[in-house]
């Protein structure tokens, strides 16, 4: 692939959407061709799947959730991500496979070495496309509660409480420890500007 694929991960409300837009703006200002997208979502069908998986009124098993996220990802890869990478663009994606590994894997009692079935499903959904760089926005979920309270609870996952958010955090950190080359951890509690500088440095290191 000629382009570069960068994903943003972390617990709910860590600041991914804020940062990804700022990075997209900075890269665009430098003349880079940037595609800004998100998961679940990014295509008409994947956005419809998003409406199902984030609906607070629906009870889904973890396996059903995982399969729905993968179905949305398959669409997203074929329609948006792969063509953009083949055209040499920088693809910035708000959440990707590591969210599945954490939300549908590590928080469900699996360890990093027990993610084979999810990794295999992901391989099928993505045709083997993996991020070149993943930025994990890390923070103590208690500190993030204030930010979330200001916005109100919005979806099924944000509704699951502090213990769940702490498990999420541990999950992302475990993935980062297992893949330190690809996954970089940034302190999300710094100011927006300071967090952005750290991420921009990582992105520039990748893009050269
Ligand atoms: N999911 C997803 C799975 O379970 N499996 C999967 O495979 C995938 C792909 C997606 C949900 O789906 C789950 C994970 C998620 O729970 P979503 O709506 O996309 O749902 O939820 P999030 O990704 O969590 O997005 P949020 O919008 O909730 O959080 P962000 O994007 O991390 O945070 P952001 O940027 O919106 O910021 C939150 C607030 O904090 C402020 C912002 O202004 C905003 O008010 N803020 C800061 N304040 C102070 N200092 C800073 N540095 C700040 N940065 C941001």
């Amino acid at each position: 692939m000629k382009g570069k694929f960068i994903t943003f991960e972390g617990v709910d409300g860590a600041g991914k959407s804020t940062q990804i837009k700022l990075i997209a703006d900075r890269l665009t200002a430098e003349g880079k061709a940037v595609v800004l997208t998100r998961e679940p979502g990014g295509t008409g069908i994947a956005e419809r799947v998003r409406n199902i998986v984030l609906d607070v009124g629906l009870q889904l098993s973890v396996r059903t959730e995982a399969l729905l996220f993968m179905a949305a990802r398959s669409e997203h890869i074929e329609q948006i991500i792969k063509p953009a990478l083949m055209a040499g663009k920088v693809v910035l994606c708000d959440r990707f496979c590591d969210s599945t590994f954490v939300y549908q894997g590590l928080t469900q009692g699996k360890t990093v070495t027990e993610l084979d079935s999810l990794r295999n499903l992901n391989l099928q959904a993505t045709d083997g496309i993996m991020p070149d760089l993943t930025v994990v926005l890390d923070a103590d979920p208690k500190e993030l509660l204030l930010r979330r309270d200001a916005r109100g609870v919005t979806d099924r996952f944000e509704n699951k409480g502090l213990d769940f958010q702490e498990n999420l955090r541990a999950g992302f950190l475990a993935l980062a420890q297992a893949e330190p080359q690809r996954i970089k951890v940034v302190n999300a509690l710094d100011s927006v500007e300071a967090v952005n500088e750290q991420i921009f440095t990582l992105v520039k290191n990748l893009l050269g």
Side-chain angles (χ1 to χ4, degrees):
M1 294 289 177
K2 287 193 291 175
K4 293 291 180 196
F5 184 24
I6 303 171
T7 57
F8 290 66
E9 301 277 8
V11 299
D12 299 304
K16 296 173 300 299
S17 316
T18 303
Q19 292 298 333
I20 204 168
K21 286 189 196 93
L22 292 172
I23 295 294
D25 288 347
R26 289 180 77 168
L27 292 177
T28 305
E30 289 189 350
K32 298 255 187 324
V34 175
V35 171
L36 173 52
T37 188
R38 70 172 181 180
E39 289 217 346
T43 74
I45 290 172
E47 291 289 338
R48 287 207 211 173
V49 175
R50 179 185 180 92
N51 289 338
I52 296 171
V53 286
L54 301 189
D55 186 337
V56 282
L58 296 177
Q59 292 292 322
L60 303 173
S61 74
V62 174
R63 183 175 58 188
T64 304
E65 267 175 27
L67 291 168
L68 285 169
F69 282 117
M70 294 298 181
R73 184 162 304 143
S74 171
E75 276 295 304
H76 195 202
I77 281 278
E78 281 307 319
Q79 305 294 326
I80 305 291
I81 297 174
K82 197 195 276 185
L85 292 175
M86 288 176 75
K89 296 180 181 172
V90 180
V91 178
L92 304 176
C93 189
D94 192 340
R95 295 196 182 279
F96 192 65
C97 61
D98 298 299
S99 281
T100 322
F101 300 153
V102 171
Y103 284 77
Q104 282 73 45
L106 298 180
T107 60
Q108 306 301 319
K110 291 188 190 303
T111 65
V112 173
T113 54
E114 294 168 344
L115 293 175
D116 286 359
S117 60
L118 280 179
R119 288 193 189 279
N120 285 338
L121 270 179
N122 189 61
L123 188 65
Q124 290 177 53
T126 60
D127 225 359
I129 293 175
M130 282 294 281
D132 298 293
L133 168 67
T134 296
V135 177
V136 169
L137 287 168
D138 175 59
D140 180 341
K142 286 192 217 76
E143 303 286 337
L144 293 176
L145 268 180
L146 286 176
R147 284 188 203 168
R148 272 210 299 284
D149 286 349
R151 288 185 312 161
V153 169
T154 54
D155 67 41
R156 280 188 327 116
F157 296 93
E158 288 175 327
N159 238 343
K160 287 187 175 173
L162 195 56
D163 284 354
F164 183 71
Q165 295 295 332
E166 280 169 354
N167 284 339
L168 290 175
R169 182 191 193 194
F172 282 114
L173 293 178
L175 289 183
Q177 197 171 21
E179 280 190 76
Q181 285 299 108
R182 172 174 71 88
I183 305 178
K184 307 293 183 190
V185 178
V186 167
N187 178 9
L189 292 179
D190 286 343
S191 68
V192 170
E193 296 74 17
V195 175
N196 194 249
E197 278 311 311
Q198 290 180 64
I199 299 173
F200 198 61
T201 301
L202 293 170
V203 169
K204 293 298 283 184
N205 286 346
L206 175 73
L207 300 182

